[in-house]
Amino acid sequence: MTDSQISTRAAAPAYSVPQERKIVTAVPGPKSQALQARRLEVVSAGVSSALPVFIERANGAILVDVDGNQFIDFGAGIGVTTIGHTDARVVAAATEQLGDVIHTLFTVTPYEEYVRVAELLAEHTPGNWAKKSVLVNSGAEAVENGVKIARKHTGRRAVAVLDHAYHGRTNLTMAMNYKAMPYGTGFGPFAGDVYHAPSSYPYRDGLSGVDAAARTIAYLEKVVGASDLACLVVEPIQGEGGFMVPADGFLPTLQAWCTAQGVVMIADEIQSGFARTGRYFASEHFGWEPDLVLSAKGIAGGLPLAAVTGRAEIMDAAHAGGLGGTFGGNPVACAAAIAVFESIEEHDLLAEGRRIEAALLAGLERLAQRYDVIGEIRGKGAMIAIELVQPGTGATTKAPNPEAVSQLVASAAQQGVLFLSAGTYGNVLRFLPSLAMSDALIDDGLRVLDDGLAALG
Ligand SMILES: *Cc1c(COP(=O)(O)O)cnc(C)c1O
Protein backbone atom coordinates (compact mmCIF):
# COMPACT_ATOMS: atom_id res chain seq x y z
CA MET A 1 0.00 0.00 0.00
CA THR A 2 1.37 3.38 -0.99
CA ASP A 3 1.27 6.49 1.17
CA SER A 4 -1.45 7.97 -0.98
CA GLN A 5 -3.75 5.04 -0.34
CA ILE A 6 -3.75 5.60 3.39
CA SER A 7 -4.74 9.26 3.20
CA THR A 8 -7.41 10.45 5.61
CA ARG A 9 -10.23 10.49 3.06
CA ALA A 10 -9.54 6.98 1.85
CA ALA A 11 -9.23 5.64 5.38
CA ALA A 12 -12.31 7.24 6.92
CA PRO A 13 -15.08 7.52 4.38
CA ALA A 14 -18.54 8.44 5.63
CA TYR A 15 -20.59 8.17 2.49
CA SER A 16 -24.34 7.66 2.21
CA VAL A 17 -23.86 6.06 -1.22
CA PRO A 18 -21.44 3.10 -1.59
CA GLN A 19 -18.43 4.37 -3.50
CA GLU A 20 -18.61 1.92 -6.41
CA ARG A 21 -19.93 1.75 -9.95
CA LYS A 22 -22.92 -0.43 -10.67
CA ILE A 23 -24.84 -0.87 -13.91
CA VAL A 24 -28.24 -2.56 -13.60
CA THR A 25 -30.02 -1.39 -16.78
CA ALA A 26 -29.15 -0.20 -20.24
CA VAL A 27 -27.61 3.30 -20.20
CA PRO A 28 -29.76 5.37 -20.32
CA GLY A 29 -32.26 3.14 -18.51
CA PRO A 30 -36.03 3.13 -18.99
CA LYS A 31 -36.79 5.77 -16.36
CA SER A 32 -34.13 8.10 -17.76
CA GLN A 33 -35.52 7.56 -21.24
CA ALA A 34 -39.02 8.49 -20.06
CA LEU A 35 -37.70 11.65 -18.38
CA GLN A 36 -35.71 12.50 -21.47
CA ALA A 37 -38.89 12.31 -23.55
CA ARG A 38 -40.60 14.76 -21.14
CA ARG A 39 -37.56 16.99 -21.16
CA LEU A 40 -37.48 17.23 -24.94
CA GLU A 41 -41.03 18.62 -24.85
CA VAL A 42 -40.33 21.49 -22.45
CA VAL A 43 -36.60 22.21 -22.17
CA SER A 44 -34.98 24.33 -24.85
CA ALA A 45 -33.03 22.37 -27.43
CA GLY A 46 -30.22 24.85 -26.78
CA VAL A 47 -29.56 23.12 -23.45
CA SER A 48 -28.00 19.76 -24.21
CA SER A 49 -26.72 17.05 -21.86
CA ALA A 50 -23.52 15.09 -22.37
CA LEU A 51 -25.08 11.96 -20.88
CA PRO A 52 -28.90 11.97 -20.58
CA VAL A 53 -29.15 9.81 -17.47
CA PHE A 54 -31.23 11.58 -14.84
CA ILE A 55 -29.51 11.77 -11.47
CA GLU A 56 -31.47 11.11 -8.31
CA ARG A 57 -28.69 11.18 -5.73
CA ALA A 58 -25.03 12.02 -5.61
CA ASN A 59 -22.52 11.48 -2.85
CA GLY A 60 -18.74 11.59 -2.70
CA ALA A 61 -17.54 10.61 -6.18
CA ILE A 62 -20.64 8.65 -7.23
CA LEU A 63 -23.77 9.63 -9.18
CA VAL A 64 -26.90 7.46 -8.81
CA ASP A 65 -29.44 7.65 -11.61
CA VAL A 66 -33.21 7.10 -11.48
CA ASP A 67 -32.75 3.53 -12.73
CA GLY A 68 -30.35 2.64 -9.92
CA ASN A 69 -27.16 2.80 -11.99
CA GLN A 70 -24.11 4.19 -10.22
CA PHE A 71 -21.49 6.17 -12.13
CA ILE A 72 -17.96 7.05 -11.12
CA ASP A 73 -18.02 10.79 -11.68
CA PHE A 74 -14.90 12.14 -13.37
CA GLY A 75 -16.71 15.39 -14.15
CA ALA A 76 -17.94 16.70 -10.79
CA GLY A 77 -20.42 18.94 -12.59
CA ILE A 78 -17.45 20.37 -14.54
CA GLY A 79 -15.28 20.88 -11.51
CA VAL A 80 -17.95 22.22 -9.17
CA THR A 81 -18.38 19.57 -6.48
CA THR A 82 -14.64 19.62 -5.91
CA ILE A 83 -14.83 18.53 -2.29
CA GLY A 84 -17.33 15.77 -3.14
CA HIS A 85 -21.03 15.51 -3.89
CA THR A 86 -23.33 16.42 -0.98
CA ASP A 87 -20.37 16.95 1.31
CA ALA A 88 -21.71 16.60 4.84
CA ARG A 89 -20.26 19.87 6.08
CA VAL A 90 -21.66 21.83 3.15
CA VAL A 91 -25.08 20.26 3.58
CA ALA A 92 -25.12 21.06 7.30
CA ALA A 93 -23.98 24.66 6.84
CA ALA A 94 -26.45 25.36 4.04
CA THR A 95 -29.31 23.68 5.91
CA GLU A 96 -28.67 25.72 9.03
CA GLN A 97 -28.47 28.92 6.99
CA LEU A 98 -31.78 28.14 5.27
CA GLY A 99 -33.49 28.35 8.65
CA ASP A 100 -31.75 31.60 9.65
CA VAL A 101 -31.95 33.86 6.62
CA ILE A 102 -32.24 32.97 2.94
CA HIS A 103 -32.10 36.41 1.39
CA THR A 104 -31.91 40.06 2.31
CA LEU A 105 -29.84 41.43 -0.60
CA PHE A 106 -26.45 42.51 0.64
CA THR A 107 -26.87 45.91 -1.03
CA VAL A 108 -30.01 46.53 1.07
CA THR A 109 -29.08 45.00 4.43
CA PRO A 110 -25.80 43.08 4.80
CA TYR A 111 -25.00 39.87 6.70
CA GLU A 112 -21.82 38.37 8.16
CA GLU A 113 -21.47 35.36 5.82
CA TYR A 114 -20.69 37.60 2.83
CA VAL A 115 -17.98 39.38 4.79
CA ARG A 116 -16.52 36.07 5.99
CA VAL A 117 -16.28 34.72 2.42
CA ALA A 118 -14.50 37.92 1.37
CA GLU A 119 -12.08 37.55 4.31
CA LEU A 120 -11.32 33.94 3.34
CA LEU A 121 -10.84 34.88 -0.31
CA ALA A 122 -8.45 37.67 0.68
CA GLU A 123 -6.50 35.19 2.79
CA HIS A 124 -6.27 32.36 0.26
CA THR A 125 -5.91 34.04 -3.15
CA PRO A 126 -2.32 34.57 -4.34
CA GLY A 127 -0.50 37.79 -3.44
CA ASN A 128 0.36 39.23 -0.08
CA TRP A 129 -1.41 42.59 -0.26
CA ALA A 130 -4.70 44.19 0.79
CA LYS A 131 -7.55 42.57 -1.16
CA LYS A 132 -11.26 43.09 -1.54
CA SER A 133 -14.03 41.08 -3.21
CA VAL A 134 -17.43 41.33 -4.82
CA LEU A 135 -19.68 38.24 -4.83
CA VAL A 136 -21.90 37.36 -7.78
CA ASN A 137 -23.84 34.36 -9.12
CA SER A 138 -21.91 32.74 -11.94
CA GLY A 139 -18.52 32.48 -13.51
CA ALA A 140 -19.52 34.58 -16.51
CA GLU A 141 -20.82 37.25 -14.17
CA ALA A 142 -17.48 37.26 -12.36
CA VAL A 143 -15.71 37.75 -15.69
CA GLU A 144 -18.08 40.61 -16.56
CA ASN A 145 -17.41 42.28 -13.22
CA GLY A 146 -13.66 41.80 -13.46
CA VAL A 147 -13.70 43.58 -16.81
CA LYS A 148 -15.97 46.36 -15.49
CA ILE A 149 -13.67 46.98 -12.55
CA ALA A 150 -10.52 46.93 -14.70
CA ARG A 151 -12.04 49.43 -17.13
CA LYS A 152 -13.11 51.77 -14.34
CA HIS A 153 -9.70 51.50 -12.67
CA THR A 154 -7.67 52.12 -15.82
CA GLY A 155 -10.03 54.38 -17.75
CA ARG A 156 -9.19 52.21 -20.79
CA ARG A 157 -11.47 50.35 -23.19
CA ALA A 158 -9.84 47.20 -24.61
CA VAL A 159 -10.02 43.67 -23.23
CA ALA A 160 -7.55 40.95 -24.22
CA VAL A 161 -7.88 37.19 -23.89
CA LEU A 162 -5.85 34.24 -25.16
CA ASP A 163 -6.43 31.74 -27.93
CA HIS A 164 -8.29 28.61 -26.75
CA ALA A 165 -9.93 30.59 -23.90
CA TYR A 166 -13.38 29.99 -22.49
CA HIS A 167 -14.99 32.63 -20.30
CA GLY A 168 -18.77 32.08 -20.41
CA ARG A 169 -22.04 32.51 -22.26
CA THR A 170 -23.13 36.10 -21.62
CA ASN A 171 -22.75 38.68 -24.37
CA LEU A 172 -19.35 39.99 -23.28
CA THR A 173 -17.97 36.55 -22.46
CA MET A 174 -19.17 35.07 -25.78
CA ALA A 175 -16.91 37.64 -27.41
CA MET A 176 -14.05 36.46 -25.17
CA ASN A 177 -14.32 32.76 -26.10
CA TYR A 178 -12.09 31.18 -28.72
CA LYS A 179 -14.55 28.68 -30.13
CA ALA A 180 -17.51 29.99 -32.13
CA MET A 181 -19.35 26.68 -32.11
CA PRO A 182 -21.26 26.03 -29.92
CA TYR A 183 -20.76 29.11 -27.75
CA GLY A 184 -21.21 32.03 -30.11
CA THR A 185 -22.46 30.94 -33.52
CA GLY A 186 -25.65 32.78 -34.42
CA PHE A 187 -25.83 34.69 -31.11
CA GLY A 188 -24.12 37.93 -32.19
CA PRO A 189 -23.51 40.80 -32.53
CA PHE A 190 -20.91 40.54 -29.80
CA ALA A 191 -19.32 43.06 -27.48
CA GLY A 192 -16.55 45.01 -29.18
CA ASP A 193 -13.00 45.80 -28.18
CA VAL A 194 -12.11 42.22 -27.31
CA TYR A 195 -8.76 40.97 -28.69
CA HIS A 196 -7.56 37.38 -28.96
CA ALA A 197 -3.83 37.04 -28.42
CA PRO A 198 -1.65 33.94 -28.88
CA SER A 199 -1.42 31.61 -25.88
CA SER A 200 1.11 29.07 -24.62
CA TYR A 201 0.30 25.54 -25.78
CA PRO A 202 3.60 23.69 -25.39
CA TYR A 203 2.42 20.44 -27.00
CA ARG A 204 1.60 22.23 -30.24
CA ASP A 205 3.74 25.39 -30.31
CA GLY A 206 6.91 24.05 -28.74
CA LEU A 207 7.74 27.49 -27.36
CA SER A 208 9.34 28.26 -24.00
CA GLY A 209 7.22 30.32 -21.63
CA VAL A 210 9.32 33.41 -22.19
CA ASP A 211 9.15 33.07 -25.99
CA ALA A 212 5.39 32.44 -25.92
CA ALA A 213 4.93 35.51 -23.68
CA ALA A 214 7.04 37.62 -26.05
CA ARG A 215 4.74 36.55 -28.90
CA THR A 216 1.64 37.47 -26.86
CA ILE A 217 3.09 40.83 -25.86
CA ALA A 218 4.14 41.63 -29.43
CA TYR A 219 0.57 40.97 -30.56
CA LEU A 220 -0.93 43.16 -27.82
CA GLU A 221 1.46 46.03 -28.49
CA LYS A 222 0.93 45.90 -32.25
CA VAL A 223 -2.80 45.18 -32.49
CA VAL A 224 -4.21 46.89 -29.38
CA GLY A 225 -1.58 49.21 -27.92
CA ALA A 226 -0.91 48.98 -24.19
CA SER A 227 -2.25 52.47 -23.49
CA ASP A 228 -5.76 51.37 -24.58
CA LEU A 229 -5.67 47.99 -22.85
CA ALA A 230 -7.70 47.75 -19.63
CA CYS A 231 -7.11 44.08 -18.86
CA LEU A 232 -5.70 40.76 -19.96
CA VAL A 233 -7.86 37.84 -18.80
CA VAL A 234 -6.12 34.46 -18.61
CA GLU A 235 -7.00 30.98 -17.35
CA PRO A 236 -3.80 29.72 -15.64
CA ILE A 237 -4.71 26.25 -16.92
CA GLN A 238 -7.19 26.51 -19.77
CA GLY A 239 -10.37 24.56 -19.07
CA GLU A 240 -12.73 24.04 -22.02
CA GLY A 241 -9.80 24.68 -24.38
CA GLY A 242 -8.25 21.38 -23.28
CA PHE A 243 -6.35 21.76 -20.00
CA MET A 244 -3.36 23.42 -21.60
CA VAL A 245 -0.67 23.98 -19.02
CA PRO A 246 1.37 27.03 -20.06
CA ALA A 247 5.14 26.72 -20.30
CA ASP A 248 7.02 27.91 -17.20
CA GLY A 249 7.61 31.63 -17.18
CA PHE A 250 4.69 32.47 -19.49
CA LEU A 251 2.33 33.83 -16.85
CA PRO A 252 4.82 35.79 -14.69
CA THR A 253 6.31 37.36 -17.84
CA LEU A 254 2.87 38.54 -18.93
CA GLN A 255 2.12 39.83 -15.42
CA ALA A 256 5.38 41.81 -15.36
CA TRP A 257 4.52 43.39 -18.72
CA CYS A 258 0.96 44.19 -17.55
CA THR A 259 2.25 45.77 -14.34
CA ALA A 260 4.75 47.90 -16.25
CA GLN A 261 2.04 49.02 -18.71
CA GLY A 262 -0.71 49.65 -16.14
CA VAL A 263 -2.80 46.78 -17.52
CA VAL A 264 -4.88 44.80 -15.00
CA MET A 265 -4.06 41.09 -15.35
CA ILE A 266 -6.96 38.88 -14.33
CA ALA A 267 -6.74 35.16 -13.53
CA ASP A 268 -9.86 33.30 -14.56
CA GLU A 269 -9.57 30.57 -11.91
CA ILE A 270 -13.21 29.59 -12.32
CA GLN A 271 -12.34 26.02 -13.30
CA SER A 272 -8.80 25.73 -11.92
CA GLY A 273 -9.30 27.35 -8.50
CA PHE A 274 -10.52 26.18 -5.14
CA ALA A 275 -8.23 23.24 -4.40
CA ARG A 276 -8.80 21.77 -7.86
CA THR A 277 -5.08 21.47 -8.69
CA GLY A 278 -3.48 20.67 -5.35
CA ARG A 279 -3.14 24.37 -4.52
CA TYR A 280 -5.88 26.78 -3.58
CA PHE A 281 -5.41 28.49 -6.95
CA ALA A 282 -3.61 27.13 -10.01
CA SER A 283 -1.75 30.44 -10.48
CA GLU A 284 0.43 29.39 -7.54
CA HIS A 285 1.97 26.56 -9.60
CA PHE A 286 3.45 29.13 -11.95
CA GLY A 287 4.59 31.76 -9.47
CA TRP A 288 1.88 34.05 -10.79
CA GLU A 289 0.30 36.65 -8.48
CA PRO A 290 -2.56 38.12 -10.52
CA ASP A 291 -4.05 41.56 -9.91
CA LEU A 292 -7.57 40.08 -9.81
CA VAL A 293 -8.71 36.48 -9.35
CA LEU A 294 -12.07 35.13 -10.52
CA SER A 295 -13.61 32.22 -8.58
CA ALA A 296 -16.81 30.29 -9.17
CA LYS A 297 -17.36 26.57 -9.89
CA GLY A 298 -15.84 24.87 -6.81
CA ILE A 299 -16.34 27.76 -4.42
CA ALA A 300 -19.52 26.63 -2.64
CA GLY A 301 -19.69 22.85 -2.99
CA GLY A 302 -22.32 23.03 -5.74
CA LEU A 303 -24.31 26.10 -4.74
CA PRO A 304 -24.20 29.04 -7.15
CA LEU A 305 -21.65 31.61 -6.09
CA ALA A 306 -18.80 33.46 -7.77
CA ALA A 307 -16.34 36.15 -6.83
CA VAL A 308 -13.94 38.77 -8.07
CA THR A 309 -11.08 39.20 -5.60
CA GLY A 310 -8.04 41.39 -5.93
CA ARG A 311 -5.92 44.36 -5.11
CA ALA A 312 -7.95 46.69 -2.91
CA GLU A 313 -7.06 49.81 -4.89
CA ILE A 314 -8.35 48.22 -8.11
CA MET A 315 -11.49 46.74 -6.52
CA ASP A 316 -12.32 50.12 -4.94
CA ALA A 317 -12.24 51.89 -8.32
CA ALA A 318 -15.90 50.99 -8.76
CA HIS A 319 -18.23 53.67 -7.38
CA ALA A 320 -20.84 52.85 -4.70
CA GLY A 321 -23.79 51.09 -6.32
CA GLY A 322 -21.78 50.19 -9.40
CA LEU A 323 -21.41 46.53 -8.43
CA GLY A 324 -23.95 44.03 -7.14
CA GLY A 325 -27.04 42.16 -8.24
CA THR A 326 -30.10 40.69 -6.57
CA PHE A 327 -28.82 37.21 -5.75
CA GLY A 328 -25.08 37.93 -5.60
CA GLY A 329 -23.49 36.53 -2.45
CA ASN A 330 -26.67 34.73 -1.35
CA PRO A 331 -26.41 33.81 2.37
CA VAL A 332 -26.96 30.07 1.82
CA ALA A 333 -24.30 29.96 -0.91
CA CYS A 334 -21.95 31.94 1.35
CA ALA A 335 -22.51 29.55 4.26
CA ALA A 336 -21.66 26.67 1.90
CA ALA A 337 -18.51 28.47 0.71
CA ILE A 338 -17.32 28.95 4.29
CA ALA A 339 -17.86 25.21 4.80
CA VAL A 340 -15.79 24.47 1.68
CA PHE A 341 -12.89 26.53 3.03
CA GLU A 342 -13.17 24.73 6.39
CA SER A 343 -13.20 21.32 4.69
CA ILE A 344 -10.14 22.14 2.63
CA GLU A 345 -8.28 23.03 5.81
CA GLU A 346 -9.61 20.30 8.09
CA HIS A 347 -9.22 17.40 5.63
CA ASP A 348 -6.04 18.77 4.01
CA LEU A 349 -7.74 18.59 0.63
CA LEU A 350 -4.78 20.20 -1.13
CA ALA A 351 -2.93 16.96 -0.37
CA GLU A 352 -5.88 14.99 -1.77
CA GLY A 353 -5.43 16.89 -5.05
CA ARG A 354 -1.80 15.82 -5.13
CA ARG A 355 -2.79 12.21 -4.34
CA ILE A 356 -5.22 12.21 -7.26
CA GLU A 357 -2.61 13.72 -9.57
CA ALA A 358 -0.16 10.95 -8.68
CA ALA A 359 -2.74 8.20 -9.18
CA LEU A 360 -4.05 9.57 -12.48
CA LEU A 361 -0.65 10.34 -13.96
CA ALA A 362 0.75 6.92 -13.08
CA GLY A 363 -2.23 5.12 -14.57
CA LEU A 364 -2.37 7.28 -17.68
CA GLU A 365 1.35 6.95 -18.32
CA ARG A 366 0.97 3.18 -18.28
CA LEU A 367 -1.84 3.49 -20.85
CA ALA A 368 0.19 5.89 -23.01
CA GLN A 369 2.93 3.27 -23.31
CA ARG A 370 0.44 0.88 -24.86
CA TYR A 371 -1.78 3.21 -26.90
CA ASP A 372 -0.19 5.70 -29.27
CA VAL A 373 -3.47 7.62 -29.68
CA ILE A 374 -2.51 9.29 -26.38
CA GLY A 375 -0.46 12.23 -27.63
CA GLU A 376 0.03 14.03 -24.36
CA ILE A 377 -0.88 13.74 -20.68
CA ARG A 378 -1.04 17.05 -18.86
CA GLY A 379 -2.55 18.94 -15.95
CA LYS A 380 -2.19 19.44 -12.22
CA GLY A 381 -3.92 17.91 -9.22
CA ALA A 382 -7.45 16.77 -9.97
CA MET A 383 -7.39 18.61 -13.32
CA ILE A 384 -5.72 16.15 -15.69
CA ALA A 385 -6.30 15.48 -19.38
CA ILE A 386 -5.09 13.37 -22.28
CA GLU A 387 -4.95 14.80 -25.79
CA LEU A 388 -5.76 12.17 -28.40
CA VAL A 389 -4.16 12.12 -31.84
CA GLN A 390 -4.46 9.89 -34.90
CA PRO A 391 -2.67 6.58 -34.22
CA GLY A 392 0.83 6.31 -35.61
CA THR A 393 1.04 10.02 -36.39
CA GLY A 394 1.29 11.38 -32.87
CA ALA A 395 4.94 12.30 -32.70
CA THR A 396 5.00 14.12 -36.01
CA THR A 397 1.66 15.47 -37.22
CA LYS A 398 -0.28 15.37 -33.93
CA ALA A 399 -3.47 15.24 -36.00
CA PRO A 400 -6.40 15.63 -33.58
CA ASN A 401 -8.56 12.56 -32.95
CA PRO A 402 -11.96 13.76 -31.71
CA GLU A 403 -13.64 10.52 -32.85
CA ALA A 404 -11.59 8.54 -30.35
CA VAL A 405 -12.68 10.87 -27.53
CA SER A 406 -16.36 10.50 -28.48
CA GLN A 407 -16.03 6.72 -28.56
CA LEU A 408 -14.19 6.57 -25.24
CA VAL A 409 -16.76 8.80 -23.51
CA ALA A 410 -19.65 6.74 -24.92
CA SER A 411 -18.18 3.34 -24.09
CA ALA A 412 -17.20 4.41 -20.57
CA ALA A 413 -20.74 5.65 -19.88
CA GLN A 414 -22.05 2.18 -20.74
CA GLN A 415 -19.71 0.79 -18.09
CA GLY A 416 -20.69 3.29 -15.39
CA VAL A 417 -17.90 5.83 -15.77
CA LEU A 418 -18.58 9.48 -16.59
CA PHE A 419 -15.76 11.13 -18.55
CA LEU A 420 -15.90 14.62 -20.07
CA SER A 421 -14.47 15.75 -23.36
CA ALA A 422 -12.85 19.14 -23.97
CA GLY A 423 -10.53 20.89 -26.35
CA THR A 424 -10.59 23.33 -29.21
CA TYR A 425 -10.36 20.31 -31.53
CA GLY A 426 -12.67 18.14 -29.38
CA ASN A 427 -9.81 15.68 -28.93
CA VAL A 428 -9.17 16.00 -25.20
CA LEU A 429 -10.48 13.68 -22.52
CA ARG A 430 -10.45 15.46 -19.18
CA PHE A 431 -10.49 14.12 -15.65
CA LEU A 432 -12.04 16.46 -13.09
CA PRO A 433 -12.86 14.11 -10.21
CA SER A 434 -13.88 15.35 -6.83
CA LEU A 435 -11.21 15.22 -4.17
CA ALA A 436 -13.29 12.53 -2.48
CA MET A 437 -12.44 10.03 -5.24
CA SER A 438 -10.41 7.13 -3.83
CA ASP A 439 -7.45 5.57 -5.60
CA ALA A 440 -9.56 2.43 -5.99
CA LEU A 441 -12.20 4.35 -7.96
CA ILE A 442 -9.53 6.01 -10.09
CA ASP A 443 -8.01 2.61 -10.89
CA ASP A 444 -11.44 1.23 -11.72
CA GLY A 445 -12.17 4.17 -14.02
CA LEU A 446 -8.83 3.74 -15.76
CA ARG A 447 -9.51 0.01 -16.29
CA VAL A 448 -12.68 1.02 -18.12
CA LEU A 449 -10.67 3.54 -20.12
CA ASP A 450 -8.16 0.79 -20.96
CA ASP A 451 -11.00 -1.38 -22.33
CA GLY A 452 -12.26 1.56 -24.39
CA LEU A 453 -8.79 2.24 -25.80
CA ALA A 454 -8.36 -1.43 -26.71
CA ALA A 455 -11.72 -1.37 -28.51
CA LEU A 456 -10.61 1.56 -30.68
CA GLY A 457 -8.43 -0.98 -32.49
C1 LIG B 1 -17.18 27.59 -16.44
C2 LIG B 1 -16.26 28.68 -16.73
C3 LIG B 1 -16.69 30.00 -16.88
C4 LIG B 1 -18.15 30.39 -16.85
O1 LIG B 1 -18.73 30.08 -15.62
P1 LIG B 1 -20.34 29.99 -15.53
O2 LIG B 1 -20.59 29.81 -14.06
O3 LIG B 1 -20.73 28.80 -16.35
O4 LIG B 1 -20.88 31.25 -16.05
C5 LIG B 1 -15.74 30.98 -17.10
N1 LIG B 1 -14.42 30.68 -17.14
C6 LIG B 1 -13.98 29.42 -17.01
C7 LIG B 1 -12.51 29.14 -17.06
C8 LIG B 1 -14.87 28.37 -16.82
O5 LIG B 1 -14.42 27.12 -16.70
Coordinates of all heavy atoms in Angstrom, one line a residue, residues 78 137-141 143 166-170 173 235 237-240 268-272 296-297 306 430, ligand 1:
I78 N -18.5 19.5 -14.0 CA -17.5 20.4 -14.5 C -16.7 21.1 -13.4 O -16.7 22.3 -13.4 CB -17.9 21.3 -15.7 CG1 -18.8 20.5 -16.7 CG2 -16.7 22.0 -16.3 CD1 -18.9 21.2 -18.1
N137 N -23.1 35.6 -9.0 CA -23.8 34.4 -9.1 C -23.2 33.3 -10.0 O -23.4 32.1 -9.8 CB -25.2 34.6 -9.7 CG -26.1 35.5 -8.9 OD1 -26.4 35.2 -7.7 ND2 -26.4 36.6 -9.4
S138 N -22.4 33.7 -11.0 CA -21.9 32.7 -11.9 C -20.5 33.1 -12.4 O -20.1 34.3 -12.2 CB -22.8 32.7 -13.2 OG -22.7 33.9 -13.9
G139 N -19.9 32.2 -13.0 CA -18.5 32.5 -13.5 C -18.5 33.6 -14.5 O -17.7 34.5 -14.5
A140 N -19.5 33.5 -15.5 CA -19.5 34.6 -16.5 C -19.7 35.9 -15.9 O -19.2 37.0 -16.3 CB -20.6 34.3 -17.5
E141 N -20.6 36.0 -14.8 CA -20.8 37.3 -14.2 C -19.6 37.8 -13.5 O -19.3 39.0 -13.4 CB -22.0 37.1 -13.2 CG -22.7 38.4 -12.9 CD -23.7 38.2 -11.8 OE1 -24.1 37.1 -11.4 OE2 -24.2 39.3 -11.3
V143 N -16.5 37.2 -14.6 CA -15.7 37.8 -15.7 C -16.2 39.2 -16.1 O -15.4 40.1 -16.2 CB -15.8 36.8 -16.9 CG1 -15.0 37.4 -18.1 CG2 -15.2 35.4 -16.6
Y166 N -11.9 30.1 -22.7 CA -13.4 30.0 -22.5 C -13.7 30.8 -21.3 O -13.1 30.7 -20.2 CB -13.9 28.6 -22.2 CG -15.3 28.5 -21.9 CD1 -16.3 28.6 -23.0 CD2 -15.8 28.5 -20.6 CE1 -17.6 28.7 -22.7 CE2 -17.2 28.5 -20.4 CZ -18.1 28.6 -21.4 OH -19.4 28.6 -21.1
H167 N -14.6 31.8 -21.4 CA -15.0 32.6 -20.3 C -16.5 32.7 -20.0 O -16.9 33.4 -19.1 CB -14.4 34.0 -20.5 CG -12.9 34.0 -20.6 ND1 -12.1 33.7 -19.5 CD2 -12.0 34.3 -21.6 CE1 -10.8 33.8 -19.8 NE2 -10.8 34.1 -21.1
G168 N -17.4 32.1 -20.8 CA -18.8 32.1 -20.4 C -19.7 32.3 -21.6 O -19.3 32.2 -22.7
R169 N -21.0 32.5 -21.2 CA -22.0 32.5 -22.3 C -22.9 33.8 -22.3 O -23.9 33.8 -22.9 CB -23.0 31.3 -22.0 CG -22.3 30.0 -22.3 CD -23.3 28.8 -21.9 NE -22.6 27.5 -21.9 CZ -22.7 26.8 -23.0 NH1 -23.2 27.1 -24.1 NH2 -22.1 25.6 -23.0
T170 N -22.4 34.8 -21.5 CA -23.1 36.1 -21.6 C -22.6 36.8 -22.8 O -21.7 36.4 -23.5 CB -22.9 36.9 -20.3 OG1 -21.5 37.1 -20.2 CG2 -23.4 36.3 -19.1
T173 N -18.8 37.7 -22.5 CA -18.0 36.5 -22.5 C -18.0 35.7 -23.7 O -17.0 35.1 -24.1 CB -18.3 35.7 -21.2 OG1 -19.7 35.3 -21.2 CG2 -17.9 36.4 -19.9
E235 N -6.8 32.2 -18.2 CA -7.0 31.0 -17.3 C -5.6 30.4 -17.1 O -4.9 30.0 -18.1 CB -7.8 29.9 -18.1 CG -9.2 30.3 -18.4 CD -9.8 29.4 -19.6 OE1 -10.2 28.3 -19.3 OE2 -9.7 29.9 -20.7
I237 N -4.7 27.5 -16.1 CA -4.7 26.2 -16.9 C -6.0 26.3 -17.7 O -7.1 26.5 -17.1 CB -4.7 25.0 -16.0 CG1 -3.4 24.9 -15.3 CG2 -4.9 23.7 -16.9 CD1 -3.3 23.7 -14.3
Q238 N -6.0 26.3 -19.0 CA -7.2 26.5 -19.8 C -8.1 25.3 -19.6 O -7.7 24.2 -19.7 CB -6.8 26.8 -21.2 CG -6.1 28.1 -21.4 CD -5.8 28.4 -22.8 OE1 -5.3 27.6 -23.6 NE2 -6.1 29.7 -23.2
G239 N -9.4 25.6 -19.4 CA -10.4 24.6 -19.1 C -11.0 24.0 -20.3 O -10.5 23.0 -20.9
E240 N -12.0 24.6 -20.8 CA -12.7 24.0 -22.0 C -11.8 23.9 -23.2 O -12.0 23.0 -24.0 CB -13.9 25.0 -22.4 CG -14.9 25.2 -21.3 CD -15.4 24.0 -20.7 OE1 -16.1 23.2 -21.4 OE2 -15.2 23.8 -19.5
D268 N -8.6 34.0 -14.6 CA -9.9 33.3 -14.6 C -9.6 31.9 -14.0 O -9.2 31.0 -14.7 CB -10.4 33.2 -16.0 CG -11.8 32.5 -16.0 OD1 -12.1 31.8 -15.0 OD2 -12.5 32.5 -17.0
E269 N -9.8 31.8 -12.6 CA -9.6 30.6 -11.9 C -10.9 29.8 -11.7 O -11.0 29.1 -10.7 CB -8.9 30.9 -10.6 CG -7.4 31.3 -10.7 CD -6.4 30.2 -10.4 OE1 -6.8 29.0 -10.4 OE2 -5.3 30.6 -10.1
I270 N -11.9 30.1 -12.5 CA -13.2 29.6 -12.3 C -13.2 28.1 -12.3 O -13.9 27.4 -11.6 CB -14.2 30.2 -13.3 CG1 -14.4 31.7 -13.0 CG2 -15.5 29.5 -13.4 CD1 -15.0 32.5 -14.1
Q271 N -12.4 27.5 -13.3 CA -12.3 26.0 -13.3 C -11.1 25.5 -12.5 O -11.2 24.4 -11.9 CB -12.3 25.5 -14.8 CG -12.5 24.0 -14.9 CD -12.9 23.6 -16.3 OE1 -12.6 22.5 -16.7 NE2 -13.6 24.5 -17.1
S272 N -10.1 26.2 -12.5 CA -8.8 25.7 -11.9 C -8.6 26.0 -10.4 O -7.7 25.5 -9.8 CB -7.6 26.3 -12.7 OG -7.6 27.7 -12.7
A296 N -15.4 30.7 -9.1 CA -16.8 30.3 -9.2 C -16.9 28.8 -8.9 O -16.6 28.4 -7.8 CB -17.4 30.7 -10.5
K297 N -17.1 28.0 -9.9 CA -17.4 26.6 -9.9 C -17.2 25.9 -8.5 O -18.2 25.6 -7.8 CB -16.5 25.9 -10.9 CG -16.9 26.3 -12.4 CD -16.4 25.3 -13.4 CE -17.1 25.4 -14.7 NZ -16.7 26.4 -15.6
A306 N -20.0 33.1 -7.0 CA -18.8 33.5 -7.8 C -18.2 34.7 -7.2 O -18.9 35.4 -6.4 CB -19.1 33.7 -9.3
R430 N -10.9 14.8 -20.4 CA -10.5 15.5 -19.2 C -11.0 14.7 -18.0 O -12.1 14.2 -18.0 CB -10.9 16.9 -19.1 CG -12.3 17.2 -19.2 CD -12.6 18.7 -19.1 NE -13.9 19.0 -19.8 CZ -14.5 20.2 -19.8 NH1 -14.0 21.1 -19.0 NH2 -15.6 20.4 -20.4
Ligands
LIG1 C1 -17.2 27.6 -16.4 C2 -16.3 28.7 -16.7 C3 -16.7 30.0 -16.9 C4 -18.1 30.4 -16.9 O1 -18.7 30.1 -15.6 P1 -20.3 30.0 -15.5 O2 -20.6 29.8 -14.1 O3 -20.7 28.8 -16.3 O4 -20.9 31.2 -16.1 C5 -15.7 31.0 -17.1 N1 -14.4 30.7 -17.1 C6 -14.0 29.4 -17.0 C7 -12.5 29.1 -17.1 C8 -14.9 28.4 -16.8 O5 -14.4 27.1 -16.7

